[in-house]
Amino acid sequence: MKHRLKKEKDYSYIEVGEGNTIIILHGLMGGLSNFEAVTKHFSTKGYKVIIPELPIYSMSLLKTNVKAFAKYLHDFIEFKGLSDVILLGNSLGGHIGLYHTKLFPEKVKALVITGSSGLYESAMGGGYTKRSDYEVIKKKAQDVFYDPAVATKEIVDEVYDTVNDRNKLIKTLAIAKSAIRHNMANDLPHMQVPTCIIWGKNDTVTPPEVADEFKALLPDSDLFWIDKCGHAAMMEHPETFNQILNDWLADRKF
């Protein structure tokens, strides 16, 4: 990503544009660059886009969980002096956004989730008995997408390096367990925040029925599908993703 990473206090983040604030929350193995198209589009459409680096691998093991990440996000929002934010999260990032909204609903104007955990996921936190086998890891990375070509060598290398770092692997497994432990099925019906659900029809990590369940449980939600699309819609079909979100924000007057 071409944008400069700002470092203030305990936070590293990208900030670009002016207007209503969209905070983007990346996933477990998702880099900030995964949202380049989203950032470019909305930062020129009257929004301030902020992407904090979540402390997924830098928290102590005891704090490596969804709840602690949600509180970290709250502290970051307080540090920036923000309110009425729009949270946009993919995969684990969506789960963090949902949990943050449960804890601090007064801070959140709207939620956008895509391929979010929180109800079910076929997590990247398992099946690493052959993690030293590059081709095995390559196949796992490719399976995240409908089009395996989206899993560039750079993405595969990053996943391979992560799962072969013992400290990161332990924390990856801890996060996977935390995602299951912090299931939100009982919380969602009480969350009144407007929510845009954008989902890949071919997502194998959080399958389509997960999106249907989010739609059924969240009282004020809209569900949009993208065909021939896996777990990271904003990467595989960025123009379609941006158009859906742009129209939803305009319709909701955000």
Side-chain angles (χ1 to χ4, degrees), residues 25-75:
L25 305 167
H26 61 82
L28 179 59
M29 297 193 187
L32 276 59
S33 60
N34 293 4
F35 296 90
E36 189 161 1
V38 177
T39 303
K40 183 177 180 181
H41 178 87
F42 287 97
S43 64
T44 61
K45 298 287 184 182
Y47 294 91
K48 177 187 290 184
V49 180
I50 301 177
I51 317 179
E53 276 192 330
L54 299 173
I56 289 174
Y57 297 118
S58 57
M59 288 269 205
S60 69
L61 189 57
L62 284 174
K63 291 186 176 180
T64 302
N65 59 66
V66 172
K67 186 176 182 179
F69 297 147
K71 289 184 173 179
Y72 176 91
L73 172 60
H74 173 70
D75 292 344

Side-chain angles (χ1 to χ4, degrees), residues 11-250:
Y11 306 108
S12 297
Y13 61 97
I14 287 167
E15 181 176 345
V16 60
E18 291 295 334
N20 290 336
T21 302
I22 299 176
I23 296 180
I24 293 177
L25 305 167
H26 61 82
L28 179 59
M29 297 193 187
L32 276 59
S33 60
N34 293 4
F35 296 90
E36 189 161 1
V38 177
T39 303
K40 183 177 180 181
H41 178 87
F42 287 97
S43 64
T44 61
K45 298 287 184 182
Y47 294 91
K48 177 187 290 184
V49 180
I50 301 177
I51 317 179
E53 276 192 330
L54 299 173
I56 289 174
Y57 297 118
S58 57
M59 288 269 205
S60 69
L61 189 57
L62 284 174
K63 291 186 176 180
T64 302
N65 59 66
V66 172
K67 186 176 182 179
F69 297 147
K71 289 184 173 179
Y72 176 91
L73 172 60
H74 173 70
D75 292 344
F76 175 71
I77 289 171
E78 291 283 288
F79 170 72
K80 291 292 294 177
L82 299 170
S83 59
D84 289 334
V85 300
I86 299 164
L87 297 179
L88 189 171
N90 171 240
S91 198
L92 175 68
H95 198 166
I96 294 168
L98 285 160
Y99 207 88
H100 173 277
T101 303
K102 170 194 169 181
L103 295 176
F104 310 104
E106 71 284 354
K107 288 289 185 181
V108 182
K109 178 160 59 176
L111 261 173
V112 185
I113 57 173
T114 180
S116 177
S117 58
L119 292 175
Y120 165 85
E121 65 168 349
S122 174
M124 288 287 282
Y128 286 120
T129 52
K130 295 184 178 179
R131 66 182 185 272
S132 62
D133 187 325
Y134 186 86
E135 290 304 314
V136 170
I137 300 305
K138 180 180 178 181
K139 179 68 166 60
K140 270 188 165 290
Q142 289 175 333
D143 286 348
V144 170
F145 305 101
Y146 175 80
D147 178 3
V150 179
T152 61
K153 186 178 185 302
E154 183 182 7
I155 289 172
V156 176
D157 287 350
E158 188 173 341
V159 174
Y160 181 80
D161 290 344
T162 296
V163 300
N164 281 283
D165 180 316
R166 187 172 180 277
N167 178 55
K168 288 184 177 180
L169 180 61
I170 289 169
K171 290 186 175 179
T172 297
L173 297 171
I175 292 165
K177 290 176 183 176
S178 168
I180 295 167
R181 192 166 66 249
H182 291 94
N183 184 287
M184 301 196 67
N186 293 329
D187 302 310
L188 299 180
H190 306 290
M191 293 169 58
Q192 301 296 327
V193 65
T195 305
C196 178
I197 306 166
I198 306 176
W199 223 264
K201 279 189 178 180
N202 310 92
D203 189 342
T204 58
V205 180
T206 45
E209 55 267 28
V210 178
D212 288 328
E213 191 172 352
F214 271 120
K215 174 69 178 76
L217 291 173
L218 284 161
D220 186 9
S221 60
D222 299 293
L223 172 57
F224 303 92
W225 297 102
I226 299 181
D227 200 12
K228 296 181 179 178
C229 180
H231 188 56
M234 70 289 169
M235 292 176 69
E236 283 202 83
H237 296 278
E239 290 182 5
T240 305
F241 183 93
N242 288 342
Q243 190 61 58
I244 289 170
L245 181 53
N246 198 80
D247 291 348
W248 186 81
L249 291 170

